[in-house]
Amino acid sequence: MGTEWMGRYRPLVAALVKHTNVVQRAAGRTVRLSEEVSLSTQEWQVFEYILEHQDDDSCMNHISERLGIAQSTFSKITKYLCEQGLVDKYQTETNRKNIILRPSADGVDLYRQQTATVGREMFGAFFEDLDGLSDEQLETFTAALERLNATLSQGGGAPEKPRLIKKL
């Protein structure tokens, strides 16, 4: 069976497949950020999300869903980030069950140091390649990718509506 059904999107699908595999291979690697701290790619992604959203009160479950990381993995990552002194845990007075994450002052400093060089090295050429796209085109592509992520998270296709069984 051929892949004709993909039409002109075949090269894009091939690039997404390769990207997924490259990311999976890189996910386990750690990068030394300082004498004391090394983070894996996934740990860095969680840390960066916490920094970017430090003013909202999203609980850990919401963040793990937003990043597409299993809750158990997210909990381990969060514990490690706290042990490294990069993130602090908080609770609200009204709801002690939900944990709110905030970057520590040391975490913010370390992030600033790293992104000054590493961010440009990793994403600079990628961003340059996308410079020719308008904001609307970039927004359209991002939305399409998010929709694909949602479909893949559900295991493919729209979820089936459960069949009702009448209780006697």
Side-chain angles (χ1 to χ4, degrees), residues 18-89:
K18 183 176 182 181
H19 176 72
T20 300
N21 292 323
V22 168
V23 167
Q24 284 179 344
R25 216 174 40 235
R29 279 189 245 152
T30 59
V31 176
R32 181 165 292 287
L33 303 177
S34 70
E35 288 294 320
E36 303 83 27
V37 179
S38 295
L39 296 181
S40 70
T41 305
Q42 210 169 35
E43 290 164 346
W44 178 263
Q45 291 167 354
V46 169
F47 178 48
E48 190 166 56
Y49 185 94
I50 293 166
L51 277 153
E52 185 177 6
H53 297 89
Q54 61 186 300
D55 292 328
D56 68 18
D57 290 336
S58 295
C59 65
M60 290 175 57
N61 288 345
H62 172 79
I63 298 171
S64 71
E65 288 172 16
R66 182 70 186 112
L67 291 173
I69 298 174
Q71 288 179 9
S72 60
T73 302
F74 184 82
S75 292
K76 289 176 191 172
I77 290 171
T78 300
K79 180 181 178 190
Y80 180 74
L81 293 173
C82 290
E83 289 170 354
Q84 297 304 307
L86 302 175
V87 171
D88 296 318
K89 291 181 180 181

Side-chain angles (χ1 to χ4, degrees), residues 88-108:
D88 296 318
K89 291 181 180 181
Y90 294 88
Q91 297 172 317
T92 63
E93 290 177 328
T94 57
N95 185 345
R96 295 200 177 273
K97 185 177 178 185
N98 288 340
I99 303 297
I100 309 299
L101 302 171
R102 294 284 189 265
S104 68
D106 289 343
V108 171

